[in-house]
Amino acid sequence: MEQLLGAHTSTSGGVSKSVDLSEKLGFTAMQIFTKNNNRWIQKQLEEKEIEAFKTKLKNSNIKYVVSHDSYLINLCATDKEILKKSRIAFLDELERCELLGIPHLNFHPGSHLGAGEEDGIKLIAESINIVHDKTKGYMVSSMLETTAGQGTAIGYRFEQLQKIIDLVEQRERMTVCLDTAHVFAAGYDIKDPMNFKKVIKEFDQIIGLERLKCFHMNDSKKELDSRVDRHEHIGNGFIGLDGFSNIMNDKRLKKIPKILETPKGKEQLEDLENLKVLRGLIK
Ligand code: ZN
Ligand code: MN
Ligand code: MN
């Protein structure tokens, strides 16, 4: 089977429009926001739009969809009001995915804002448990994304993600997304072939490869261990083509969908270039 490849895709004009654009660009996988990523509240999805999305998707070549949650959400916010808003918004994100039939909701664990990593991790797990309790039986997974560890962001070590998963009650609902730019900036050297193998082994030992359900394929504008989150086109950053070749040619990772989050214009033609580069690396 060919590797599932695609990019974060615009939903301008309605969620179902993302399927049209992804099809046009030849994607087999895509990521979308199901609401404006910079707003707390947004009107519910219309039945018509949900049906259009599902029908188009069924008749398309897109075999994998993931939703990315709003950037405002912080599941370990120190401010009580923000924390409450974040939990409500996260619940709403899961509900939107469930309605659209999207199997994964990708999210950044959270930023502890000075409270400390241990407290942050506990609060994130508590938030997830509260929301999971309200959504029993949902098929959508809660997908933790690895982070660059910028500022007070949690999730820049595999151990931190596993600690969160350990504290979640409905653990079968937890999956993980590995963002290449983020892990590289966090200090995991995926560029060097030998070290890449070590990183994947570490992921497998600490979290388990069975939870890895997505890759965010981004090169990094910043150096190894910079702890700064800046995405670059594939091959133009510090990870470079060697790093992406490691991923594209690892047998265990072939079945894991790969999504670009690299800079792009409205037409997303840059995505075509980046996908061509990735495909060209397959040996
Ligand atoms: Zn993200
Ligand atoms: Mn990402
Ligand atoms: Mn990022």
Side-chain angles (χ1 to χ4, degrees):
M1 199 186 90
E2 260 194 67
Q3 302 196 43
L4 297 178
L5 292 170
H8 187 97
T9 300
S10 165
T11 52
S12 173
V15 278
S16 75
K17 290 284 188 291
S18 63
V19 184
D20 300 334
L21 185 53
S22 287
E23 274 282 274
K24 193 176 152 197
L25 296 169
F27 298 169
T28 48
M30 71 169 185
Q31 175 173 282
I32 59 168
F33 294 124
T34 65
K35 63 198 279 192
N36 185 313
N37 61 316
N38 280 314
R39 269 199 231 149
W40 284 110
I41 312 275
Q42 202 170 329
K43 66 173 177 26
Q44 283 189 313
L45 290 161
E46 281 172 37
E47 195 58 45
K48 218 173 62 201
E49 193 54 26
I50 295 169
E51 283 317 309
F53 178 83
K54 286 181 161 173
T55 309
K56 282 180 186 178
L57 191 64
K58 206 166 69 193
N59 298 314
S60 78
N61 289 309
I62 301 148
K63 304 298 171 214
Y64 177 88
V65 185
V66 53
S67 170
H68 196 302
D69 77 340
S70 156
Y71 294 139
L72 298 175
I73 295 175
N74 182 3
L75 294 179
C76 61
T78 44
D79 181 296
K80 287 248 170 350
E81 269 314 300
I82 304 283
L83 182 63
K84 195 174 149 194
K85 273 180 158 176
S86 292
R87 287 170 172 171
I88 292 169
F90 190 70
L91 174 68
D92 182 49
E93 296 267 4
L94 279 179
E95 283 170 344
R96 283 168 179 266
C97 286
E98 197 72 14
L99 284 169
L100 292 165
I102 298 174
H104 302 290
L105 175 66
N106 178 80
F107 65 105
H108 299 203
S111 291
H112 66 74
L113 306 168
E117 286 172 2
E118 285 308 310
D119 282 5
I121 285 169
K122 280 184 206 152
L123 199 50
I124 292 163
E126 185 185 301
S127 296
I128 296 170
N129 282 332
I130 289 169
V131 176
H132 277 182
D133 261 345
K134 294 193 170 122
T135 55
K136 283 207 179 89
Y138 273 33
M139 61 85 204
V140 56
S141 88
S142 299
M143 179 182 271
L144 288 165
E145 179 174 351
T146 58
T147 68
Q150 187 168 310
T152 61
I154 289 169
Y156 62 92
R157 297 289 313 167
F158 299 153
E159 288 87 349
Q160 296 172 342
L161 297 184
Q162 188 52 42
K163 272 187 195 161
I164 295 168
I165 294 169
D166 283 339
L167 293 169
V168 169
E169 281 147 24
Q170 297 175 44
R171 224 159 291 155
E172 69 285 357
R173 294 176 64 175
M174 301 302 292
T175 55
V176 175
C177 167
L178 193 151
D179 184 309
T180 54
H182 294 175
V183 293
F184 187 78
Y188 291 101
D189 184 3
I190 52 172
K191 184 186 178 75
D192 176 80
M194 289 310 286
N195 209 71
F196 170 77
K197 285 205 169 69
K198 252 176 66 187
V199 171
I200 296 303
K201 194 175 165 192
E202 213 180 305
F203 186 101
D204 193 28
Q205 283 169 344
I206 295 166
I207 299 173
L209 278 176
E210 64 282 0
R211 281 202 205 274
L212 184 59
K213 298 295 181 196
C214 186
F215 272 101
H216 281 167
M217 303 292 267
N218 306 307
D219 209 331
S220 176
K221 261 193 181 39
K222 299 290 171 178
E223 296 88 341
L224 178 72
D225 210 15
S226 62
R227 300 279 293 270
V228 179
D229 179 0
R230 294 280 181 282
H231 301 190
E232 179 57 280
H233 294 289
I234 305 295
N236 291 0
F238 283 94
I239 300 176
L241 295 180
D242 292 347
F244 290 97
S245 175
N246 292 333
I247 299 177
M248 295 306 288
N249 293 295
D250 189 307
K251 276 197 190 65
R252 297 164 300 173
L253 310 177
K254 284 224 156 95
K255 59 178 186 304
I256 300 168
K258 300 172 181 77
I259 305 275
L260 294 167
E261 289 179 316
T262 39
K264 65 191 76 180
K266 208 168 177 277
E267 315 264 287
Q268 298 190 200
L269 299 176
E270 299 85 348
D271 289 338
L272 291 181
E273 274 311 305
N274 283 306
L275 287 181
K276 207 163 106 187
V277 173
L278 285 178
R279 285 202 187 93
L281 294 171
I282 302 173
K283 286 171 188 152

